[in-house]
Amino acid sequence: MTKSFEITINKTAHSRQKEAFSKELVFGRVFSDHMFIADFIDGEWTNISVEPYAKISLDPSCLVFHYGQAIFEGMKAYKGPNQEPLLFRPADNIKRFNKSAERMCMPRVPEELFMDGLKALIELDQDWIPSAEGHSLYIRPFMIATDEYLGVKASDKYRFIIITSPVAAYYKDPVKVKVETYYTRAAEGGTGFAKSAGNYAQSLQPAKEAYKQGYDQLLWTDAKEHKFIEESGTMNVMFVLKNKKIVTPKLSTTILNGVTRNSVIQLAEKMDYEVDQKKLAVSEIIDHIKNDNLLEAFGTGTAATIAPISLIAHDGIDYELPNTDKESFSVKCLSLLDQIRRGQTLDEFNWVVKI
Ligand SMILES: *Cc1c(COP(=O)(O)O)cnc(C)c1O
């Protein structure tokens, strides 16, 4: 049974859009005019509204500040050929959000509430979707525990919010990654597959240490033996080999099920690549590098889409990877994915949702 939800819409009297677009857009610093809010109280979703973007007021005792019951999502909206707002695979983000919610002992956000809120917000703020090449509107849904209580327990009250931020093209130099063999991002039975705030908090110090050593990011390995590759920073990771082969760690409870990862795998198969999702040993990748069999390595995620890796450090040795060019898989795949998301080519997987 699907329930329909009433959304109250309170528009801002003063749009900040023109002023914001007159300056250079920096990732995650500028927010559009409105936000979507819903509260979960006494087992029901209530106070459902689109409001002018503003500070929120919370009691200092709210559970989220102390025990970290907080989850989020990241997705993007684009302008189509007729300036219509397009969302990329939103249903996948909603499903993943609810998996994260379950793991963190939080209520699910009903899919229709999530989708209706998202559509109402994006429709109202559609002028905030930049149409320049590579630009998009980053969408950040999140949920926090709002019980005013210091005991350790799952909260009874929650707030679900969606904010959006216009972003410019994400041009970045290829990254140098260090295979991390001491710290861990996620252990079996833990929360690695969930997009929970705490996963990020605990990854900051290891990343900072790698940065001090001259690397941009970590290549996380399994918590038990540090022998198997898991993710790169906050992205999934893929390796392109000779003879149209791609290897990537297979999903597990310690790996985030990326929407970009899944999209790249489907496009790769369409482009006649054989994609092997496996428990991927670090030694296997090092052997491929030594045998000149590794052509490309890259991270996948919504923010950067595809982030090329230029160097992998393991056991004190820096291994340089070959340069990519316009014939490289990652370059071609990125361009195809971008065209699909902007409605510029056939969307044969039905990934794009028009608003
Ligand atoms: C969000 C995230 C990703 C990428 O997921 P996308 O759906 O592709 O954006 C990968 N790894 C981690 C740890 C993440 O949090």
Side-chain angles (χ1 to χ4, degrees):
M1 196 185 79
T2 58
K3 186 170 179 262
S4 59
F5 296 89
E6 276 299 312
I7 304 177
T8 308
I9 297 191
N10 296 316
K11 284 190 200 170
T12 181
H14 304 283
S15 173
R16 295 175 281 102
Q17 189 262 334
K18 289 215 163 58
E19 219 242 306
F21 276 43
S22 69
K23 297 178 198 141
E24 200 183 327
L25 296 171
V26 184
F27 181 87
R29 294 267 181 208
V30 177
F31 304 99
S32 53
D33 283 328
H34 299 90
M35 59 185 182
F36 175 78
I37 296 201
D39 284 321
F40 185 82
I41 300 170
D42 293 335
E44 300 260 356
W45 288 97
T46 176
N47 305 331
I48 303 167
S49 64
V50 173
E51 302 279 335
Y53 187 94
K55 293 194 167 37
I56 55 172
S57 167
L58 291 171
D59 194 273
S61 70
C62 275
L63 279 171
V64 65
F65 298 131
H66 308 277
Y67 311 123
Q69 253 188 313
I71 58 170
F72 65 96
E73 267 303 324
M75 56 209 285
K76 279 177 173 174
Y78 305 83
K79 277 267 169 86
N82 303 312
Q83 299 302 305
E84 71 281 28
L86 304 176
L87 293 172
F88 184 70
R89 304 187 70 175
D92 296 271
N93 292 91
I94 295 174
K95 282 202 190 85
R96 187 172 70 191
F97 188 81
N98 282 329
K99 280 200 183 119
S100 301
E102 189 187 342
R103 180 63 182 82
M104 303 307 283
C105 219
M106 302 168 97
R108 347 183 22 259
V109 175
E111 286 174 23
E112 54 283 14
L113 172 64
F114 200 134
M115 192 64 103
D116 289 356
L118 194 56
K119 285 183 171 171
L121 180 65
I122 302 299
E123 191 173 6
L124 190 58
D125 277 346
Q126 56 182 281
D127 288 348
W128 284 87
I129 308 174
S131 41
E133 204 189 319
H135 290 47
S136 59
L137 185 69
Y138 185 79
I139 303 170
R140 168 53 58 88
F142 64 105
M143 178 158 59
I144 53 174
T146 50
D147 257 14
E148 296 156 10
Y149 179 60
L150 287 185
V152 178
K153 71 166 187 79
S155 185
D156 290 321
K157 287 194 296 180
Y158 295 87
R159 180 164 289 179
F160 173 64
I161 304 178
I162 308 176
I163 57 175
T164 68
S165 170
V167 295
Y170 197 99
Y171 293 121
K172 234 182 122 195
D173 290 332
V175 290
K176 297 176 183 160
V177 301
K178 183 187 114 179
V179 177
E180 178 59 63
T181 51
Y182 173 69
Y183 293 112
T184 55
R185 191 193 82 89
E188 260 169 57
T191 59
F193 68 91
K195 235 171 158 65
S196 58
N199 286 350
Y200 279 71
Q202 58 97 31
S203 73
L204 298 175
Q205 197 211 349
K208 190 174 167 187
E209 287 186 15
Y211 192 76
K212 272 195 213 146
Q213 296 162 9
Y215 305 104
D216 305 304
Q217 242 170 51
L218 295 173
L219 199 52
W220 296 105
T221 53
D222 70 287
K224 256 188 218 154
E225 302 176 272
H226 293 297
K227 281 188 179 152
F228 297 94
I229 295 174
E230 300 217 310
E231 299 201 47
S232 170
T234 56
M235 293 192 280
N236 296 112
V237 65
M238 294 192 193
F239 302 88
V240 183
L241 309 177
K242 283 189 176 158
N243 299 320
K244 293 200 129 186
K245 285 199 168 62
I246 293 176
V247 285
T248 187
K250 71 162 188 247
L251 294 177
S252 71
T253 58
T254 60
I255 292 180
L256 201 289
N257 183 357
V259 176
T260 318
R261 172 187 183 278
N262 180 275
S263 307
V264 169
I265 289 172
Q266 292 191 55
L267 293 178
E269 285 172 346
K270 216 194 95 183
M271 292 158 75
D272 286 330
Y273 279 79
E274 189 189 310
V275 184
D276 194 3
Q277 305 182 45
K278 63 192 294 200
K279 201 169 160 173
L280 183 57
V282 177
S283 60
E284 177 176 334
I285 293 304
I286 301 298
D287 284 347
H288 284 311
I289 297 175
K290 287 182 176 162
N291 299 329
D292 278 336
N293 199 31
L294 181 74
L295 298 178
E296 302 170 57
F298 56 85
T300 65
T302 295
T305 309
I306 288 183
I309 294 172
S310 59
L311 181 148
I312 298 176
H314 178 57
D315 245 352
I317 303 175
D318 286 352
Y319 297 93
E320 302 248 8
L321 306 193
N323 289 330
T324 54
D325 58 35
K326 62 185 199 324
E327 293 304 313
S328 300
F329 169 78
S330 57
V331 175
K332 287 199 214 158
C333 186
L334 174 60
S335 152
L336 178 56
L337 193 50
D338 214 50
Q339 285 173 26
I340 296 174
R341 297 188 299 196
R342 289 168 194 283
Q344 294 168 349
T345 188
L346 182 72
D347 172 25
E348 64 180 276
F349 298 102
N350 276 322
W351 283 338
V352 174
V353 174
K354 271 199 191 113
I355 293 185

